[in-house]
């Protein structure tokens, strides 16, 4: 929790994730129909996807459990004159009804959870999605430069110290376990990105999973 308060105090990512931009454009090309699409952004941090998706015409809301995140995002939404419902909530026990959302977005949160909580978080996402609703999920992939770069805490999970996120568990998913985690979903579209930095010395590997309830 302390990690996330610090993170949300200094890390202000203000532009949307390009994979999410592509996903919404491809899945919901008709701007006029978007106001009927109910999206939940899990762990919104700065609120970058709340702002982006609202401006793109969607009915979006979100939650985060960090005070700093709530403070920053509420302020930003106010400046943008966007009336969006934001809640302080834990993904492990969500204050939303079953079958409520057309899209559930989870980017970069569940990769910090231990086994058991990863499954709980995904079952909450499944519960609040409408039948036919879509999960958009980004997590770390095996092969990432940070894998193994800290004390091993569990199988595939290491205590990592990196620039933004200090002393935090990171789990690196392989394909088999990611498929097992998402086994209750159908039409799984599983892809990954590899970004290189520092003349390709650093490789950042992420899964991008899209699936339907
Ligand atoms: C790496 S940031 C995610 C960034 C954000 N999804 C984005 O794309 O900009 C992780 C966020 O998840 C939040 N978080 C971590 N554990 C959580 C939990 N159990 N329930 C709700 N929010 C949580 C943190 O406060 C933090 O804002």
């Amino acid at each position: 929790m302390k990690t996330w308060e610090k993170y949300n105090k200094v890390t202000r990512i203000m532009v949307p994730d390009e994979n999410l931009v592509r996903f919404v454009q491809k899945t919901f090309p008709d701007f006029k129909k978007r106001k009927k699409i109910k999206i939940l952004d899990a762990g919104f941090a700065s609120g970058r996807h709340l702002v982006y998706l609202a401006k793109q015409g969607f009915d979006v809301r979100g939650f985060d459990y960090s005070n700093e995140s709530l403070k920053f995002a509420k302020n930003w939404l106010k400046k943008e004159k966007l009336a969006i419902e934001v809640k302080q909530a834990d993904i492990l026990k969500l204050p939303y009804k079953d079958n409520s959302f057309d899209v559930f977005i989870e980017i970069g949160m569940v990769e910090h959870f231990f086994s058991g909580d990863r499954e709980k978080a995904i079952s909450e996402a499944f519960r609040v999605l409408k039948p036919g609703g879509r999960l958009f999920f980004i997590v770390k992939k095996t092969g990432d430069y940070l894998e193994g770069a800290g004390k091993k805490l569990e199988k595939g999970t290491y205590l990592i110290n990196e620039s933004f996120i200090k002393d935090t568990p990171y789990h690196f998913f392989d394909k088999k376990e990611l498929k097992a985690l998402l086994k209750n979903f159908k039409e799984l579209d599983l892809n990954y990105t590899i970004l290189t930095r520092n003349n390709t010395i650093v490789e950042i590997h992420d899964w991008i999973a899209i699936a339907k309830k």
Side-chain angles (χ1 to χ4, degrees):
M1 183 79 168
K2 248 195 187 148
T3 296
W4 294 117
E5 293 304 351
K6 274 195 210 155
Y7 171 89
N8 284 315
K9 213 172 185 143
V10 296
T11 317
R12 308 291 194 213
I13 307 179
M14 310 293 281
V15 291
D17 179 273
E18 63 190 283
N19 300 292
L20 181 73
V21 171
R22 264 187 230 114
F23 162 70
V24 296
Q25 192 55 43
K26 190 173 161 210
T27 316
F28 308 104
D30 187 342
F31 194 94
K32 289 193 291 297
K33 290 188 181 156
R34 289 180 177 173
K35 58 179 180 297
K36 289 209 172 116
I37 307 295
K38 244 177 113 176
I39 302 185
L40 184 63
D41 186 11
F44 53 67
S46 67
R48 61 178 176 150
H49 296 129
L50 300 174
V51 172
Y52 174 71
L53 293 167
K55 289 185 175 178
Q56 287 293 314
F58 294 98
D59 175 6
V60 62
R61 62 210 69 198
F63 69 90
D64 199 295
Y65 76 0
S66 143
N67 291 318
E68 283 298 334
S69 160
L70 267 283
K71 204 162 77 185
F72 185 83
K74 278 185 178 171
N75 220 350
W76 189 9
L77 294 173
K78 203 169 148 192
K79 277 189 198 141
E80 300 279 354
K81 297 191 173 41
L82 293 170
I84 293 176
E85 179 195 275
V86 289
K87 287 190 181 180
Q88 187 159 33
D90 186 342
I91 195 173
L92 301 180
K93 200 173 184 311
L94 287 178
Y96 303 100
K97 292 193 180 125
D98 297 0
N99 308 321
S100 305
F101 296 96
D102 298 291
V103 180
F104 188 102
I105 297 171
E106 197 295 292
I107 299 177
M109 183 209 299
V110 168
E111 65 196 23
H112 301 293
F113 289 5
F114 290 109
S115 165
D117 282 354
R118 294 196 289 270
E119 288 73 13
K120 249 191 237 166
I122 291 302
S123 76
E124 276 296 81
F126 191 85
R127 180 182 70 74
V128 303
L129 271 171
K130 293 178 186 172
R134 289 174 173 85
L135 174 73
F136 180 89
F137 188 52
I138 300 187
V139 283
K140 286 267 165 242
K141 183 185 151 297
T142 48
D144 186 275
Y145 80 109
L146 289 173
E147 186 185 6
K151 189 179 161 210
K152 186 172 178 182
L153 301 175
E154 266 184 10
K155 186 168 181 274
T157 310
Y158 301 86
L159 190 66
I160 305 284
N161 238 319
E162 64 145 344
S163 55
F164 289 134
I165 303 180
K166 302 271 178 215
D167 282 329
T168 303
Y170 267 90
H171 185 73
F172 300 86
F173 291 82
D174 67 26
K175 192 174 186 177
K176 202 170 147 204
E177 69 170 325
L178 187 53
K179 278 180 143 180
L181 182 68
L182 302 178
K183 66 179 185 305
N184 292 331
F185 289 84
K186 49 191 189 196
E187 296 178 36
L188 176 62
D189 184 15
L190 196 52
N191 293 287
Y192 61 83
T193 55
I194 302 177
L195 290 176
T196 62
R197 300 272 185 266
N198 303 355
N199 281 317
T200 75
I201 292 168
V202 164
E203 279 192 6
I204 302 164
H205 293 224
D206 287 299
W207 288 112
I208 297 132
I210 300 166
K212 270 193 188 172
K213 174 172 173 179

